[in-house]
Amino acid sequence: PFTLDSTQVLGVAVDQPLIDWGKTRAEVQAARRLAEAQLALVDATRLDIAEEVTTAYVTLVREVELLEILRRQLSDLREQVGGLQAQVNAGVATRVELRKVETEISLTQSEIARGEYQVIRAEQQLQRLTGSQQSSNVSQEALEQFYLAFRAQTLDEAQTRAQLNHPEIIAFSRRLASKQAEVLAAQRGRFPGINLRGQLAGGWRNGEFGDESGISLNLSAPLYQGNRLFAEQKKVEEELKGLQQEYVFELERLVENVTFGWNNISSLERSVGQLQQQVRQNLSRVNDVEEERRAGLATTGDVIDAKKAWFRSQELVVDEMSRLNEARTMHLLDMGTVQ
């Protein structure tokens, strides 16, 4: 119970650190850098999604181009069978040759049905990943333009862009900065601090009312926590060393990937060029065989075989170009270009 002889004091006190040797600032910086690292990991997730979309896009381009080659081949075979039927009626060609062309038509139609299924499947995969029902603008030209717009001119440029822009490396660097700030905070936490204390209070003491408000400076030091604080500091420092090693490893791995991608692109570009040269040679062979047929030195079957080799070489170009497209887009992803 309250009596005039009792002591009753009511008040509020506020402590404001004046000097903590940068501990609070380091803790805030550590938290901020860690949050930035988490945001960078979101970008890394976007990069993974971009890789899936890119693969689906490249696959659709390949399937569409292979289907177009088959359709051109079917159209050519139908032209051949029309002319061959007239030759059979005139007694110039045999029905064996006609049956061969008809068999080729049947096989090509079967391959076209399979190709149409592959195109539909690739379209559905791309639509599922993008959430869009539109895939009509897919083309090799679009892939070429995209790569030429964002490619690096030199290997050194590619490596530098990767180290500066890849979201996983950015996330690592920010985690590293966060851990460095944690080390600084742990180090400064062992130092004594100076606090400003403001107090607004008043009350009864032995029957008299008194004002006990005031301002004071306090010195605080962790006298009995030294070992614990030292152990925490060593723990954070060891974590920093481990993270630094991981960071160096990730940088080296990324540079290796970029270098491999660069060399792989050069190799595939040469391979595509060689296959395109083979297409031109096969086309020249088709023209020669057609001339021989007109001169009576070759049959329609010879022409069909020559054209079959020509169309097959076009398919090889498409397959190799698809591998080149994938290598190029993965290279852009390694540089952090596509996000």
Side-chain angles (χ1 to χ4, degrees):
F2 175 77
T3 66
L4 292 179
D5 293 332
S6 63
T7 300
Q8 299 289 336
V9 178
L10 180 64
V12 60
V14 177
D15 287 320
Q16 173 63 46
L18 292 182
I19 300 176
D20 65 355
W21 311 105
K23 176 186 175 183
T24 302
R25 181 180 180 183
E27 290 175 342
V28 172
Q29 185 178 13
R32 182 179 293 117
R33 293 293 177 267
L34 187 59
E36 292 172 351
Q38 296 302 318
L39 289 175
L41 288 177
V42 173
D43 289 336
T45 302
R46 292 196 184 104
L47 206 65
D48 292 337
I49 296 173
E51 181 176 345
E52 290 189 50
V53 172
T54 297
T55 301
Y57 190 98
V58 170
T59 299
L60 179 56
V61 169
R62 183 186 72 242
E63 298 300 339
V64 167
E65 294 207 339
L66 289 175
L67 180 59
E68 287 302 315
I69 291 173
L70 288 172
R71 286 171 173 168
R72 290 198 300 269
Q73 186 175 3
L74 179 61
S75 176
D76 182 78
L77 286 170
R78 284 171 172 167
E79 290 179 5
Q80 295 290 339
V81 78
L84 192 57
Q85 182 65 61
Q87 293 177 11
V88 170
N89 295 337
V92 179
T94 66
R95 291 195 173 275
V96 173
E97 292 179 305
L98 181 60
R99 294 291 177 266
K100 181 178 181 180
V101 179
E102 290 174 342
T103 300
E104 289 293 335
I105 289 176
S106 178
L107 291 173
T108 304
Q109 287 174 331
S110 177
E111 291 180 8
I112 286 175
R114 177 182 174 277
E116 289 173 340
Y117 168 75
Q118 293 297 336
V119 168
I120 292 173
R121 185 179 178 184
E123 285 178 338
Q124 290 174 342
Q125 174 69 358
L126 183 59
Q127 291 168 1
R128 182 184 67 82
L129 291 171
T130 60
S132 171
Q133 299 301 314
Q134 300 295 325
S135 57
S136 57
N137 295 327
V138 174
S139 67
Q140 175 61 37
E141 291 73 18
L143 280 172
E144 288 277 352
Q145 292 172 3
F146 181 80
Y147 174 70
L148 293 176
F150 293 101
R151 67 174 178 174
Q153 298 299 319
T154 64
L155 177 57
D156 286 341
E157 180 189 344
Q159 293 173 342
T160 301
R161 283 171 55 180
Q163 294 177 69
L164 292 177
N165 299 326
H166 198 284
E168 291 184 358
I169 297 301
I170 293 173
F172 250 107
S173 66
R174 290 173 179 170
R175 285 175 56 198
L176 195 59
S178 174
K179 190 61 66 175
Q180 290 169 337
E182 285 185 37
V183 170
L184 179 60
Q187 292 171 343
R188 300 300 167 84
R190 300 173 57 200
F191 297 167
I194 299 177
N195 300 328
L196 175 65
R197 182 180 181 85
Q199 178 176 293
L200 179 63
W204 292 90
R205 288 184 183 274
N206 300 322
E208 294 183 1
F209 180 81
D211 183 4
E212 298 188 13
S213 301
I215 298 176
S216 62
L217 289 177
N218 300 319
L219 177 66
S220 62
L223 297 179
Y224 300 103
Q225 303 180 41
N227 289 335
R228 183 177 67 82
L229 294 177
F230 181 76
E232 289 178 355
Q233 176 184 332
K234 294 297 292 182
K235 176 185 176 183
V236 176
E237 288 174 345
E238 289 300 322
E239 290 174 351
L240 174 61
K241 290 180 182 178
L243 193 59
Q244 287 173 331
Q245 292 174 352
E246 289 183 50
Y247 180 65
V248 171
F249 174 79
E250 287 298 322
L251 274 178
E252 291 176 347
R253 184 184 65 83
L254 180 61
V255 170
E256 288 178 1
N257 288 344
V258 170
T259 303
F260 172 80
W262 178 274
N263 294 331
N264 191 35
I265 288 171
S266 299
S267 175
L268 288 170
E269 286 175 341
R270 289 193 297 270
S271 178
V272 169
Q274 292 169 356
L275 289 172
Q276 289 173 336
Q277 176 63 27
Q278 185 64 49
V279 170
R280 290 189 288 269
Q281 292 175 356
N282 286 344
L283 177 59
S284 178
R285 173 60 182 162
V286 168
N287 294 332
D288 292 343
V289 173
E290 286 182 334
E291 286 291 333
E292 291 172 358
R293 182 180 63 176
R294 284 189 285 270
L297 302 176
T299 65
T300 300
D302 295 329
V303 174
I304 292 174
D305 289 340
K307 286 193 173 183
K308 188 175 181 180
W310 177 48
F311 285 118
R312 176 55 184 159
S313 63
Q314 293 178 53
E315 292 174 351
L316 292 176
V317 169
V318 171
D319 286 335
E320 194 72 355
M321 195 69 210
S322 180
R323 284 188 280 271
L324 175 58
N325 288 335
E326 185 173 0
R328 284 173 168 179
T329 50
M330 292 303 107
H331 187 61
L332 293 179
L333 288 172
D334 282 338
M335 291 191 294
T337 303
V338 184
Q339 292 187 33

